[in-house]
């Protein structure tokens, strides 16, 4: 592991030097299970997501990242929220220190199979009752919690 360190409301967090839009996708099956990936760079479980590319919308980014990071094809069904608390800082090995800016899109699966890759060494469907047994970063737990509470269009 390595490559990035996430700070969450930490007094010792370095000062950000960048802000890059990223999109996550919270994909839920009909049985309530949520798609999670275990990040190779931190070892923590997370929603699939990543940086937007020029020429794509947030929903296109979320769909692309979901497929790339999990092997699951999904369609966007709505917006969970926009998450960018200044206290969520991600420091990368190359010196970039980013204030997180995440648009989290809701989705439903339409195909594919959970598949590991160079970014995720684990991909699985997790029922809400099982979330407590996974190492999930507080920022992701917050987003999942908003989903489970039925929140819609949350904005920091």
């Amino acid at each position: 592991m390595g490559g990035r360190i996430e700070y969450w409301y930490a007094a010792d967090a370095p000062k950000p030097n960048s802000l890059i839009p990223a999109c996550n996708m919270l994909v839920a099956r009909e049985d309530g299970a949520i798609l999670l990936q275990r990040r190779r760079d931190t070892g923590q479980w997370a929603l699939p997501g990543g940086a937007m590319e020029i020429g794509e919308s947030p929903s296109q980014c979320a769909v692309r990242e979901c497929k790339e990071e999990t092997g699951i094809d999904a369609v966007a069904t709505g917006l969970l929220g926009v998450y960018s608390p200044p206290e969520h800082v991600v420091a990368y090995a190359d010196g970039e220190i980013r204030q997180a800016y995440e648009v989290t899109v809701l989705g439903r699966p339409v195909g594919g199979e959970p598949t590991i890759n160079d970014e995720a060494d684990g991909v699985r469907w997790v029922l809400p009752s099982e979330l407590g047994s996974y190492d999930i970063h507080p920022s992701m737990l917050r987003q999942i919690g908003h989903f489970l509470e039925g929140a819609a269009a949350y904005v920091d």
Side-chain angles (χ1 to χ4, degrees):
M1 276 171 268
R4 75 186 239 161
I5 299 170
E6 287 197 56
Y7 297 87
W8 182 251
Y9 291 83
D12 64 339
K15 183 178 179 183
N17 57 30
S18 75
L19 182 70
I20 296 174
C23 301
N24 300 326
M25 185 165 245
L26 192 152
V27 182
R29 291 190 314 206
E30 286 185 15
D31 67 356
I34 296 168
L35 181 64
L36 294 178
Q37 60 156 331
R38 186 172 53 215
R39 298 180 60 98
R40 288 186 188 271
D41 58 0
T42 66
Q44 291 183 305
W45 291 87
L47 301 173
M52 280 183 67
E53 296 177 358
I54 293 174
E56 69 183 354
S57 70
S59 59
Q60 289 169 330
C61 174
V63 166
R64 175 183 55 77
E65 289 286 346
C66 183
K67 177 65 173 178
E68 288 175 3
E69 294 182 351
T70 70
I72 298 296
D73 294 302
V75 294
T77 60
L79 174 67
L80 179 62
V82 178
Y83 297 86
S84 186
E87 300 82 8
H88 185 192
V89 175
V90 183
Y92 293 87
D94 66 1
E96 178 187 3
I97 303 169
R98 188 182 300 175
Q99 176 182 327
Y101 184 96
E102 300 170 335
V103 175
T104 301
V105 175
L106 297 171
R108 68 176 172 79
V110 293
E113 292 294 327
T115 306
I116 62 170
N117 56 69
D118 61 348
E119 293 185 53
D121 64 4
V123 177
R124 63 180 56 146
W125 294 98
V126 179
L127 291 169
S129 62
E130 302 168 333
L131 289 168
S133 62
Y134 288 81
D135 179 13
I136 302 173
H137 190 272
S139 66
M140 292 283 117
L141 280 175
R142 180 176 181 226
Q143 294 177 34
I144 293 167
H146 286 158
F147 169 73
L148 295 175
E149 294 164 6
Y154 179 89
V155 178
D156 266 325

